[in-house]
């Protein structure tokens, strides 16, 4: 199975109650190879909620205890972000997932860039907490911008082959 950010599949789990619909991923969702995940929801954060960013670093530093996650109201949500990442890892393990496709820019799911913690819209190079934790455990994580339709088809075909080998 392939983990996919739930917001990309049309689930209204974004901090503002919306979604980040990705038409390519939604078109292939019917094939039954995707597991919709949202670290913030799995950490029991409400929808809608105040926006959250990682301050003083990236997902890696957050996992190492050298950064913190806060919302725009100043609440420390570090424990929630880490809990959500851990739950995503457990789901990946349960489904024998090797690949995830996550929402770029998110403090949990960002793949290449995340917001810098200033709540000004600036982004920095680095990954979110869930992405970083999955990578540390050997998963390959793509953003929704990384894949062409041909690459997505190939990932799905490889996922089907891996399932048939395990059976």
């Amino acid at each position: 199975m392939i983990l996919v950010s739930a917001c990309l599949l049309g689930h209204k789990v974004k901090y503002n109650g919306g979604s980040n619909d990705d038409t390519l991923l939604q078109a292939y969702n019917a094939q039954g190879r995707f597991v919709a995940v949202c670290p913030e929801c799995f950490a029991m954060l409400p929808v809608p909620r105040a926006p959250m960013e990682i301050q003083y670093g990236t997902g890696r530093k957050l996992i190492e205890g050298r950064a913190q996650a806060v919302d725009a109201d100043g609440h420390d949500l570090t424990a929630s972000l880490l809990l959500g990442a851990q739950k995503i890892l457990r789901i990946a393990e349960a489904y024998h997932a090797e690949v995830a496709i996550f929402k770029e820019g998110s403090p949990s799911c960002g793949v290449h860039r995340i917001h810098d913690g200033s709540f000004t819209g600036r982004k920095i190079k680095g990954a979110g907490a869930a992405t970083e934790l999955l990578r540390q455990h050997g998963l390959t994580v793509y953003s929704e911008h990384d894949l062409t339709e041909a690459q997505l088809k190939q990932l799905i075909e490889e996922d089907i082959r891996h399932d048939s080998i395990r059976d």
Side-chain angles (χ1 to χ4, degrees):
M1 299 299 286
I2 298 170
L3 304 184
V4 179
S5 289
C7 63
L8 296 173
L9 297 175
H11 297 258
K12 297 190 181 307
V13 295
K14 216 174 132 174
Y15 73 92
N16 64 4
S19 62
N20 291 305
D21 298 7
D22 185 283
T23 54
L24 178 62
L25 292 172
Q26 288 176 337
Y28 281 85
N29 191 32
Q31 292 189 12
R33 304 307 306 175
F34 297 161
V35 177
V37 297
C38 176
E40 289 94 344
C41 289
F42 293 161
M44 305 299 288
L45 292 174
V47 176
R49 59 187 170 272
M52 174 181 25
E53 297 185 5
I54 298 174
Q55 293 184 331
Y56 315 115
T58 62
R60 176 183 301 246
K61 285 188 178 181
L62 191 81
I63 291 168
E64 295 169 349
R66 298 185 300 128
Q68 67 179 18
V70 299
D71 69 16
D73 297 327
H75 300 109
D76 185 344
L77 297 175
T78 303
S80 295
L81 206 62
L82 293 172
L83 175 63
Q86 284 292 332
K87 287 185 176 183
I88 297 299
L89 176 60
R90 286 197 293 269
I91 290 167
E93 291 169 344
Y95 281 97
H96 305 284
E98 297 177 7
V99 172
I101 304 168
F102 280 176
K103 176 63 189 145
E104 189 64 87
S106 158
S108 288
C109 297
V111 176
H112 305 292
R113 300 180 67 75
I114 60 170
H115 291 274
D116 70 356
S118 67
F119 295 95
T120 60
R122 285 190 310 234
K123 293 188 179 178
I124 58 171
K125 185 177 178 180
T131 296
E132 181 60 35
L133 188 62
L134 292 181
R135 285 178 173 163
Q136 288 178 3
H137 286 83
L139 275 80
T140 302
V141 184
Y142 299 95
S143 86
E144 74 275 24
H145 305 298
D146 291 336
L147 299 173
T148 64
E149 185 170 6
Q151 291 168 317
L152 182 59
K153 283 181 182 179
Q154 183 178 356
L155 286 176
I156 292 170
E157 289 169 7
E158 289 172 8
D159 186 60
I160 291 169
R161 275 197 303 280
H162 287 132
D163 273 359
S164 66
I165 292 169
R166 279 194 291 273
D167 292 342

